[in-house]
PDB file of all heavy atoms in Angstrom:
ATOM      1  N   PRO A   1     -78.498 -30.273  43.189  1.00  0.00           N
ATOM      2  CA  PRO A   1     -79.613 -30.920  43.883  1.00  0.00           C
ATOM      3  C   PRO A   1     -80.942 -30.744  43.148  1.00  0.00           C
ATOM      4  O   PRO A   1     -81.180 -29.729  42.493  1.00  0.00           O
ATOM      5  CB  PRO A   1     -79.651 -30.209  45.238  1.00  0.00           C
ATOM      6  CG  PRO A   1     -79.018 -28.886  44.995  1.00  0.00           C
ATOM      7  CD  PRO A   1     -78.005 -29.100  43.912  1.00  0.00           C
ATOM      8  N   ILE A   2     -81.784 -31.747  43.256  1.00  0.00           N
ATOM      9  CA  ILE A   2     -83.156 -31.678  42.771  1.00  0.00           C
ATOM     10  C   ILE A   2     -83.996 -31.198  43.942  1.00  0.00           C
ATOM     11  O   ILE A   2     -84.093 -31.870  44.971  1.00  0.00           O
ATOM     12  CB  ILE A   2     -83.659 -33.053  42.283  1.00  0.00           C
ATOM     13  CG1 ILE A   2     -82.733 -33.621  41.210  1.00  0.00           C
ATOM     14  CG2 ILE A   2     -85.103 -32.963  41.815  1.00  0.00           C
ATOM     15  CD1 ILE A   2     -82.649 -32.804  39.945  1.00  0.00           C
ATOM     16  N   LEU A   3     -84.597 -30.014  43.815  1.00  0.00           N
ATOM     17  CA  LEU A   3     -85.364 -29.424  44.910  1.00  0.00           C
ATOM     18  C   LEU A   3     -86.821 -29.879  44.893  1.00  0.00           C
ATOM     19  O   LEU A   3     -87.475 -29.916  45.937  1.00  0.00           O
ATOM     20  CB  LEU A   3     -85.301 -27.901  44.840  1.00  0.00           C
ATOM     21  CG  LEU A   3     -83.896 -27.293  44.803  1.00  0.00           C
ATOM     22  CD1 LEU A   3     -83.982 -25.782  44.647  1.00  0.00           C
ATOM     23  CD2 LEU A   3     -83.119 -27.677  46.050  1.00  0.00           C
ATOM     24  N   LYS A   4     -87.324 -30.190  43.695  1.00  0.00           N
ATOM     25  CA  LYS A   4     -88.720 -30.596  43.563  1.00  0.00           C
ATOM     26  C   LYS A   4     -88.810 -31.592  42.423  1.00  0.00           C
ATOM     27  O   LYS A   4     -88.181 -31.401  41.376  1.00  0.00           O
ATOM     28  CB  LYS A   4     -89.573 -29.362  43.272  1.00  0.00           C
ATOM     29  CG  LYS A   4     -91.030 -29.621  43.057  1.00  0.00           C
ATOM     30  CD  LYS A   4     -91.738 -28.299  42.769  1.00  0.00           C
ATOM     31  CE  LYS A   4     -93.215 -28.492  42.560  1.00  0.00           C
ATOM     32  NZ  LYS A   4     -93.877 -27.218  42.265  1.00  0.00           N
ATOM     33  N   ASP A   5     -89.579 -32.643  42.602  1.00  0.00           N
ATOM     34  CA  ASP A   5     -89.790 -33.639  41.547  1.00  0.00           C
ATOM     35  C   ASP A   5     -91.142 -34.288  41.794  1.00  0.00           C
ATOM     36  O   ASP A   5     -91.248 -35.267  42.523  1.00  0.00           O
ATOM     37  CB  ASP A   5     -88.669 -34.669  41.545  1.00  0.00           C
ATOM     38  CG  ASP A   5     -88.739 -35.601  40.342  1.00  0.00           C
ATOM     39  OD1 ASP A   5     -89.689 -35.489  39.537  1.00  0.00           O
ATOM     40  OD2 ASP A   5     -87.839 -36.446  40.203  1.00  0.00           O
ATOM     41  N   ASP A   6     -92.186 -33.730  41.216  1.00  0.00           N
ATOM     42  CA  ASP A   6     -93.553 -34.243  41.367  1.00  0.00           C
ATOM     43  C   ASP A   6     -94.013 -34.811  40.035  1.00  0.00           C
ATOM     44  O   ASP A   6     -93.922 -34.137  39.007  1.00  0.00           O
ATOM     45  CB  ASP A   6     -94.512 -33.125  41.789  1.00  0.00           C
ATOM     46  CG  ASP A   6     -94.164 -32.529  43.140  1.00  0.00           C
ATOM     47  OD1 ASP A   6     -93.637 -33.265  43.990  1.00  0.00           O
ATOM     48  OD2 ASP A   6     -94.425 -31.326  43.333  1.00  0.00           O
ATOM     49  N   ARG A   7     -94.548 -36.039  40.074  1.00  0.00           N
ATOM     50  CA  ARG A   7     -95.013 -36.685  38.846  1.00  0.00           C
ATOM     51  C   ARG A   7     -96.321 -37.401  39.113  1.00  0.00           C
ATOM     52  O   ARG A   7     -96.482 -38.026  40.164  1.00  0.00           O
ATOM     53  CB  ARG A   7     -93.995 -37.720  38.367  1.00  0.00           C
ATOM     54  CG  ARG A   7     -92.637 -37.155  38.087  1.00  0.00           C
ATOM     55  CD  ARG A   7     -91.593 -38.259  37.973  1.00  0.00           C
ATOM     56  NE  ARG A   7     -90.263 -37.709  37.966  1.00  0.00           N
ATOM     57  CZ  ARG A   7     -89.498 -37.650  36.876  1.00  0.00           C
ATOM     58  NH1 ARG A   7     -89.934 -38.119  35.743  1.00  0.00           N
ATOM     59  NH2 ARG A   7     -88.305 -37.125  36.948  1.00  0.00           N
ATOM     60  N   THR A   8     -97.250 -37.322  38.163  1.00  0.00           N
ATOM     61  CA  THR A   8     -98.503 -38.075  38.243  1.00  0.00           C
ATOM     62  C   THR A   8     -98.815 -38.649  36.869  1.00  0.00           C
ATOM     63  O   THR A   8     -98.410 -38.096  35.847  1.00  0.00           O
ATOM     64  CB  THR A   8     -99.687 -37.187  38.688  1.00  0.00           C
ATOM     65  OG1 THR A   8     -99.877 -36.156  37.725  1.00  0.00           O
ATOM     66  CG2 THR A   8     -99.442 -36.575  40.050  1.00  0.00           C
ATOM     67  N   GLN A   9     -99.533 -39.767  36.874  1.00  0.00           N
ATOM     68  CA  GLN A   9     -99.955 -40.405  35.630  1.00  0.00           C
ATOM     69  C   GLN A   9    -101.139 -41.299  35.957  1.00  0.00           C
ATOM     70  O   GLN A   9    -101.178 -41.916  37.026  1.00  0.00           O
ATOM     71  CB  GLN A   9     -98.819 -41.236  35.040  1.00  0.00           C
ATOM     72  CG  GLN A   9     -99.150 -41.866  33.719  1.00  0.00           C
ATOM     73  CD  GLN A   9     -97.960 -42.600  33.114  1.00  0.00           C
ATOM     74  OE1 GLN A   9     -96.866 -42.581  33.661  1.00  0.00           O
ATOM     75  NE2 GLN A   9     -98.193 -43.239  31.999  1.00  0.00           N
ATOM     76  N   ASN A  10    -102.111 -41.374  35.055  1.00  0.00           N
ATOM     77  CA  ASN A  10    -103.225 -42.289  35.291  1.00  0.00           C
ATOM     78  C   ASN A  10    -103.413 -43.210  34.094  1.00  0.00           C
ATOM     79  O   ASN A  10    -102.744 -43.068  33.068  1.00  0.00           O
ATOM     80  CB  ASN A  10    -104.508 -41.517  35.641  1.00  0.00           C
ATOM     81  CG  ASN A  10    -105.036 -40.687  34.501  1.00  0.00           C
ATOM     82  OD1 ASN A  10    -104.747 -40.938  33.332  1.00  0.00           O
ATOM     83  ND2 ASN A  10    -105.819 -39.671  34.821  1.00  0.00           N
ATOM     84  N   ALA A  11    -104.328 -44.149  34.216  1.00  0.00           N
ATOM     85  CA  ALA A  11    -104.549 -45.155  33.177  1.00  0.00           C
ATOM     86  C   ALA A  11    -105.140 -44.556  31.904  1.00  0.00           C
ATOM     87  O   ALA A  11    -105.058 -45.172  30.838  1.00  0.00           O
ATOM     88  CB  ALA A  11    -105.459 -46.253  33.709  1.00  0.00           C
ATOM     89  N   ALA A  12    -105.731 -43.383  31.983  1.00  0.00           N
ATOM     90  CA  ALA A  12    -106.329 -42.740  30.807  1.00  0.00           C
ATOM     91  C   ALA A  12    -105.302 -41.993  29.959  1.00  0.00           C
ATOM     92  O   ALA A  12    -105.648 -41.413  28.940  1.00  0.00           O
ATOM     93  CB  ALA A  12    -107.432 -41.782  31.249  1.00  0.00           C
ATOM     94  N   GLY A  13    -104.051 -41.980  30.389  1.00  0.00           N
ATOM     95  CA  GLY A  13    -103.005 -41.301  29.624  1.00  0.00           C
ATOM     96  C   GLY A  13    -102.759 -39.869  30.046  1.00  0.00           C
ATOM     97  O   GLY A  13    -101.951 -39.176  29.442  1.00  0.00           O
ATOM     98  N   GLU A  14    -103.447 -39.405  31.091  1.00  0.00           N
ATOM     99  CA  GLU A  14    -103.187 -38.064  31.598  1.00  0.00           C
ATOM    100  C   GLU A  14    -101.924 -38.100  32.453  1.00  0.00           C
ATOM    101  O   GLU A  14    -101.694 -39.079  33.174  1.00  0.00           O
ATOM    102  CB  GLU A  14    -104.357 -37.572  32.440  1.00  0.00           C
ATOM    103  CG  GLU A  14    -105.648 -37.473  31.667  1.00  0.00           C
ATOM    104  CD  GLU A  14    -106.834 -37.155  32.568  1.00  0.00           C
ATOM    105  OE1 GLU A  14    -106.862 -37.619  33.719  1.00  0.00           O
ATOM    106  OE2 GLU A  14    -107.733 -36.462  32.092  1.00  0.00           O
ATOM    107  N   TYR A  15    -101.137 -37.060  32.378  1.00  0.00           N
ATOM    108  CA  TYR A  15     -99.907 -37.017  33.168  1.00  0.00           C
ATOM    109  C   TYR A  15     -99.568 -35.582  33.508  1.00  0.00           C
ATOM    110  O   TYR A  15    -100.066 -34.633  32.885  1.00  0.00           O
ATOM    111  CB  TYR A  15     -98.736 -37.653  32.407  1.00  0.00           C
ATOM    112  CG  TYR A  15     -98.232 -36.779  31.287  1.00  0.00           C
ATOM    113  CD1 TYR A  15     -97.149 -35.920  31.487  1.00  0.00           C
ATOM    114  CD2 TYR A  15     -98.851 -36.782  30.044  1.00  0.00           C
ATOM    115  CE1 TYR A  15     -96.702 -35.094  30.477  1.00  0.00           C
ATOM    116  CE2 TYR A  15     -98.403 -35.964  29.022  1.00  0.00           C
ATOM    117  CZ  TYR A  15     -97.333 -35.121  29.242  1.00  0.00           C
ATOM    118  OH  TYR A  15     -96.892 -34.297  28.241  1.00  0.00           O
ATOM    119  N   SER A  16     -98.707 -35.422  34.477  1.00  0.00           N
ATOM    120  CA  SER A  16     -98.124 -34.117  34.773  1.00  0.00           C
ATOM    121  C   SER A  16     -96.806 -34.344  35.481  1.00  0.00           C
ATOM    122  O   SER A  16     -96.600 -35.374  36.122  1.00  0.00           O
ATOM    123  CB  SER A  16     -99.053 -33.254  35.632  1.00  0.00           C
ATOM    124  OG  SER A  16     -99.179 -33.802  36.917  1.00  0.00           O
ATOM    125  N   PHE A  17     -95.918 -33.397  35.326  1.00  0.00           N
ATOM    126  CA  PHE A  17     -94.684 -33.419  36.110  1.00  0.00           C
ATOM    127  C   PHE A  17     -94.207 -32.003  36.333  1.00  0.00           C
ATOM    128  O   PHE A  17     -94.477 -31.103  35.536  1.00  0.00           O
ATOM    129  CB  PHE A  17     -93.586 -34.295  35.478  1.00  0.00           C
ATOM    130  CG  PHE A  17     -93.042 -33.797  34.171  1.00  0.00           C
ATOM    131  CD1 PHE A  17     -92.047 -32.832  34.109  1.00  0.00           C
ATOM    132  CD2 PHE A  17     -93.503 -34.333  32.976  1.00  0.00           C
ATOM    133  CE1 PHE A  17     -91.536 -32.391  32.907  1.00  0.00           C
ATOM    134  CE2 PHE A  17     -92.997 -33.894  31.760  1.00  0.00           C
ATOM    135  CZ  PHE A  17     -92.009 -32.929  31.726  1.00  0.00           C
ATOM    136  N   ASN A  18     -93.525 -31.804  37.432  1.00  0.00           N
ATOM    137  CA  ASN A  18     -92.924 -30.526  37.811  1.00  0.00           C
ATOM    138  C   ASN A  18     -91.591 -30.826  38.466  1.00  0.00           C
ATOM    139  O   ASN A  18     -91.531 -31.695  39.331  1.00  0.00           O
ATOM    140  CB  ASN A  18     -93.792 -29.785  38.832  1.00  0.00           C
ATOM    141  CG  ASN A  18     -95.129 -29.393  38.269  1.00  0.00           C
ATOM    142  OD1 ASN A  18     -95.200 -28.537  37.418  1.00  0.00           O
ATOM    143  ND2 ASN A  18     -96.184 -30.034  38.739  1.00  0.00           N
ATOM    144  N   PHE A  19     -90.556 -30.148  38.061  1.00  0.00           N
ATOM    145  CA  PHE A  19     -89.302 -30.291  38.791  1.00  0.00           C
ATOM    146  C   PHE A  19     -88.560 -28.970  38.828  1.00  0.00           C
ATOM    147  O   PHE A  19     -88.769 -28.085  38.007  1.00  0.00           O
ATOM    148  CB  PHE A  19     -88.425 -31.435  38.273  1.00  0.00           C
ATOM    149  CG  PHE A  19     -87.769 -31.220  36.950  1.00  0.00           C
ATOM    150  CD1 PHE A  19     -86.600 -30.470  36.832  1.00  0.00           C
ATOM    151  CD2 PHE A  19     -88.281 -31.801  35.816  1.00  0.00           C
ATOM    152  CE1 PHE A  19     -85.979 -30.293  35.612  1.00  0.00           C
ATOM    153  CE2 PHE A  19     -87.664 -31.625  34.582  1.00  0.00           C
ATOM    154  CZ  PHE A  19     -86.519 -30.872  34.489  1.00  0.00           C
ATOM    155  N   GLU A  20     -87.704 -28.855  39.821  1.00  0.00           N
ATOM    156  CA  GLU A  20     -86.876 -27.667  40.005  1.00  0.00           C
ATOM    157  C   GLU A  20     -85.520 -28.122  40.526  1.00  0.00           C
ATOM    158  O   GLU A  20     -85.447 -28.994  41.394  1.00  0.00           O
ATOM    159  CB  GLU A  20     -87.529 -26.717  40.995  1.00  0.00           C
ATOM    160  CG  GLU A  20     -86.771 -25.427  41.200  1.00  0.00           C
ATOM    161  CD  GLU A  20     -87.501 -24.460  42.116  1.00  0.00           C
ATOM    162  OE1 GLU A  20     -88.656 -24.711  42.480  1.00  0.00           O
ATOM    163  OE2 GLU A  20     -86.882 -23.441  42.488  1.00  0.00           O
ATOM    164  N   THR A  21     -84.459 -27.530  39.995  1.00  0.00           N
ATOM    165  CA  THR A  21     -83.113 -27.899  40.418  1.00  0.00           C
ATOM    166  C   THR A  21     -82.469 -26.765  41.214  1.00  0.00           C
ATOM    167  O   THR A  21     -82.935 -25.630  41.179  1.00  0.00           O
ATOM    168  CB  THR A  21     -82.219 -28.216  39.208  1.00  0.00           C
ATOM    169  OG1 THR A  21     -82.048 -27.030  38.439  1.00  0.00           O
ATOM    170  CG2 THR A  21     -82.819 -29.319  38.349  1.00  0.00           C
ATOM    171  N   GLY A  22     -81.403 -27.088  41.896  1.00  0.00           N
ATOM    172  CA  GLY A  22     -80.692 -26.121  42.724  1.00  0.00           C
ATOM    173  C   GLY A  22     -80.001 -25.018  41.948  1.00  0.00           C
ATOM    174  O   GLY A  22     -79.609 -24.014  42.518  1.00  0.00           O
ATOM    175  N   ASN A  23     -79.853 -25.188  40.638  1.00  0.00           N
ATOM    176  CA  ASN A  23     -79.229 -24.138  39.831  1.00  0.00           C
ATOM    177  C   ASN A  23     -80.259 -23.305  39.074  1.00  0.00           C
ATOM    178  O   ASN A  23     -79.928 -22.590  38.146  1.00  0.00           O
ATOM    179  CB  ASN A  23     -78.184 -24.716  38.877  1.00  0.00           C
ATOM    180  CG  ASN A  23     -78.779 -25.656  37.852  1.00  0.00           C
ATOM    181  OD1 ASN A  23     -79.942 -26.045  37.956  1.00  0.00           O
ATOM    182  ND2 ASN A  23     -77.994 -26.043  36.879  1.00  0.00           N
ATOM    183  N   GLY A  24     -81.526 -23.386  39.471  1.00  0.00           N
ATOM    184  CA  GLY A  24     -82.549 -22.509  38.928  1.00  0.00           C
ATOM    185  C   GLY A  24     -83.308 -23.001  37.719  1.00  0.00           C
ATOM    186  O   GLY A  24     -84.092 -22.255  37.139  1.00  0.00           O
ATOM    187  N   ILE A  25     -83.123 -24.248  37.321  1.00  0.00           N
ATOM    188  CA  ILE A  25     -83.892 -24.790  36.204  1.00  0.00           C
ATOM    189  C   ILE A  25     -85.252 -25.228  36.734  1.00  0.00           C
ATOM    190  O   ILE A  25     -85.332 -25.926  37.746  1.00  0.00           O
ATOM    191  CB  ILE A  25     -83.167 -25.976  35.545  1.00  0.00           C
ATOM    192  CG1 ILE A  25     -81.852 -25.504  34.944  1.00  0.00           C
ATOM    193  CG2 ILE A  25     -84.055 -26.637  34.497  1.00  0.00           C
ATOM    194  CD1 ILE A  25     -80.958 -26.626  34.449  1.00  0.00           C
ATOM    195  N   VAL A  26     -86.315 -24.808  36.055  1.00  0.00           N
ATOM    196  CA  VAL A  26     -87.678 -25.177  36.434  1.00  0.00           C
ATOM    197  C   VAL A  26     -88.357 -25.719  35.180  1.00  0.00           C
ATOM    198  O   VAL A  26     -88.247 -25.135  34.098  1.00  0.00           O
ATOM    199  CB  VAL A  26     -88.460 -23.954  36.975  1.00  0.00           C
ATOM    200  CG1 VAL A  26     -89.890 -24.329  37.303  1.00  0.00           C
ATOM    201  CG2 VAL A  26     -87.763 -23.370  38.185  1.00  0.00           C
ATOM    202  N   ARG A  27     -89.092 -26.836  35.321  1.00  0.00           N
ATOM    203  CA  ARG A  27     -89.763 -27.463  34.172  1.00  0.00           C
ATOM    204  C   ARG A  27     -91.081 -28.030  34.640  1.00  0.00           C
ATOM    205  O   ARG A  27     -91.155 -28.672  35.691  1.00  0.00           O
ATOM    206  CB  ARG A  27     -88.868 -28.568  33.624  1.00  0.00           C
ATOM    207  CG  ARG A  27     -89.471 -29.417  32.535  1.00  0.00           C
ATOM    208  CD  ARG A  27     -89.302 -28.747  31.176  1.00  0.00           C
ATOM    209  NE  ARG A  27     -89.515 -29.689  30.102  1.00  0.00           N
ATOM    210  CZ  ARG A  27     -90.701 -29.966  29.584  1.00  0.00           C
ATOM    211  NH1 ARG A  27     -91.792 -29.402  30.050  1.00  0.00           N
ATOM    212  NH2 ARG A  27     -90.807 -30.824  28.594  1.00  0.00           N
ATOM    213  N   SER A  28     -92.136 -27.798  33.877  1.00  0.00           N
ATOM    214  CA  SER A  28     -93.433 -28.387  34.175  1.00  0.00           C
ATOM    215  C   SER A  28     -94.118 -28.753  32.868  1.00  0.00           C
ATOM    216  O   SER A  28     -93.869 -28.132  31.828  1.00  0.00           O
ATOM    217  CB  SER A  28     -94.307 -27.418  34.976  1.00  0.00           C
ATOM    218  OG  SER A  28     -94.600 -26.279  34.203  1.00  0.00           O
ATOM    219  N   GLU A  29     -94.963 -29.773  32.928  1.00  0.00           N
ATOM    220  CA  GLU A  29     -95.700 -30.197  31.741  1.00  0.00           C
ATOM    221  C   GLU A  29     -96.891 -31.027  32.179  1.00  0.00           C
ATOM    222  O   GLU A  29     -96.842 -31.715  33.189  1.00  0.00           O
ATOM    223  CB  GLU A  29     -94.804 -31.030  30.826  1.00  0.00           C
ATOM    224  CG  GLU A  29     -95.463 -31.417  29.520  1.00  0.00           C
ATOM    225  CD  GLU A  29     -94.524 -32.143  28.579  1.00  0.00           C
ATOM    226  OE1 GLU A  29     -93.334 -31.770  28.500  1.00  0.00           O
ATOM    227  OE2 GLU A  29     -94.987 -33.084  27.911  1.00  0.00           O
ATOM    228  N   SER A  30     -97.962 -30.952  31.403  1.00  0.00           N
ATOM    229  CA  SER A  30     -99.111 -31.828  31.617  1.00  0.00           C
ATOM    230  C   SER A  30     -99.681 -32.175  30.256  1.00  0.00           C
ATOM    231  O   SER A  30     -99.485 -31.449  29.277  1.00  0.00           O
ATOM    232  CB  SER A  30    -100.169 -31.150  32.495  1.00  0.00           C
ATOM    233  OG  SER A  30    -100.661 -29.991  31.866  1.00  0.00           O
ATOM    234  N   GLY A  31    -100.368 -33.300  30.196  1.00  0.00           N
ATOM    235  CA  GLY A  31    -100.929 -33.724  28.920  1.00  0.00           C
ATOM    236  C   GLY A  31    -102.030 -34.730  29.103  1.00  0.00           C
ATOM    237  O   GLY A  31    -102.216 -35.310  30.182  1.00  0.00           O
ATOM    238  N   TYR A  32    -102.768 -34.941  28.022  1.00  0.00           N
ATOM    239  CA  TYR A  32    -103.878 -35.886  28.036  1.00  0.00           C
ATOM    240  C   TYR A  32    -104.155 -36.339  26.610  1.00  0.00           C
ATOM    241  O   TYR A  32    -103.693 -35.724  25.638  1.00  0.00           O
ATOM    242  CB  TYR A  32    -105.129 -35.237  28.642  1.00  0.00           C
ATOM    243  CG  TYR A  32    -105.599 -34.010  27.913  1.00  0.00           C
ATOM    244  CD1 TYR A  32    -106.559 -34.100  26.906  1.00  0.00           C
ATOM    245  CD2 TYR A  32    -105.066 -32.762  28.200  1.00  0.00           C
ATOM    246  CE1 TYR A  32    -106.974 -32.971  26.224  1.00  0.00           C
ATOM    247  CE2 TYR A  32    -105.475 -31.638  27.520  1.00  0.00           C
ATOM    248  CZ  TYR A  32    -106.443 -31.749  26.527  1.00  0.00           C
ATOM    249  OH  TYR A  32    -106.841 -30.631  25.849  1.00  0.00           O
ATOM    250  N   GLN A  33    -104.922 -37.416  26.477  1.00  0.00           N
ATOM    251  CA  GLN A  33    -105.303 -37.950  25.186  1.00  0.00           C
ATOM    252  C   GLN A  33    -106.610 -37.303  24.739  1.00  0.00           C
ATOM    253  O   GLN A  33    -107.575 -37.278  25.492  1.00  0.00           O
ATOM    254  CB  GLN A  33    -105.502 -39.469  25.269  1.00  0.00           C
ATOM    255  CG  GLN A  33    -104.245 -40.237  25.574  1.00  0.00           C
ATOM    256  CD  GLN A  33    -103.296 -40.235  24.400  1.00  0.00           C
ATOM    257  OE1 GLN A  33    -103.698 -40.323  23.249  1.00  0.00           O
ATOM    258  NE2 GLN A  33    -102.009 -40.126  24.687  1.00  0.00           N
ATOM    259  N   ALA A  34    -106.638 -36.762  23.535  1.00  0.00           N
ATOM    260  CA  ALA A  34    -107.838 -36.167  22.960  1.00  0.00           C
ATOM    261  C   ALA A  34    -107.688 -36.197  21.449  1.00  0.00           C
ATOM    262  O   ALA A  34    -107.241 -35.220  20.857  1.00  0.00           O
ATOM    263  CB  ALA A  34    -108.037 -34.743  23.469  1.00  0.00           C
ATOM    264  N   ASP A  35    -108.020 -37.329  20.815  1.00  0.00           N
ATOM    265  CA  ASP A  35    -107.764 -37.506  19.374  1.00  0.00           C
ATOM    266  C   ASP A  35    -106.295 -37.239  19.071  1.00  0.00           C
ATOM    267  O   ASP A  35    -105.949 -36.549  18.123  1.00  0.00           O
ATOM    268  CB  ASP A  35    -108.663 -36.592  18.538  1.00  0.00           C
ATOM    269  CG  ASP A  35    -110.133 -36.973  18.644  1.00  0.00           C
ATOM    270  OD1 ASP A  35    -110.412 -38.184  18.769  1.00  0.00           O
ATOM    271  OD2 ASP A  35    -110.978 -36.066  18.608  1.00  0.00           O
ATOM    272  N   GLY A  36    -105.438 -37.736  19.909  1.00  0.00           N
ATOM    273  CA  GLY A  36    -103.999 -37.492  19.847  1.00  0.00           C
ATOM    274  C   GLY A  36    -103.558 -36.911  21.173  1.00  0.00           C
ATOM    275  O   GLY A  36    -104.373 -36.643  22.052  1.00  0.00           O
ATOM    276  N   GLN A  37    -102.304 -36.736  21.333  1.00  0.00           N
ATOM    277  CA  GLN A  37    -101.775 -36.209  22.597  1.00  0.00           C
ATOM    278  C   GLN A  37    -101.834 -34.688  22.607  1.00  0.00           C
ATOM    279  O   GLN A  37    -101.429 -34.046  21.642  1.00  0.00           O
ATOM    280  CB  GLN A  37    -100.333 -36.670  22.792  1.00  0.00           C
ATOM    281  CG  GLN A  37     -99.731 -36.333  24.114  1.00  0.00           C
ATOM    282  CD  GLN A  37    -100.310 -37.151  25.254  1.00  0.00           C
ATOM    283  OE1 GLN A  37    -100.714 -38.292  25.071  1.00  0.00           O
ATOM    284  NE2 GLN A  37    -100.346 -36.583  26.423  1.00  0.00           N
TER     285      GLN A  37
END
């Protein structure tokens, strides 16, 4: 099961995501444009 799945993104290229699975995998990331990613 996927316990958590949150994602955001805007027109400026900023994004974030967070997810967690029922077997203990956790992943998060965020980013933005600033003379490159």
Side-chain angles (χ1 to χ4, degrees):
I2 304 297
L3 306 176
K4 178 180 181 181
D5 188 357
D6 297 329
R7 301 165 191 253
T8 62
Q9 183 176 357
N10 66 22
E14 298 173 325
Y15 74 95
S16 68
F17 66 83
N18 296 291
F19 72 81
E20 183 176 352
T21 65
N23 64 349
I25 297 171
V26 177
R27 173 84 163 87
S28 64
E29 185 175 321
S30 62
Y32 59 93
Q33 295 289 322
D35 293 326
Q37 187 71 31

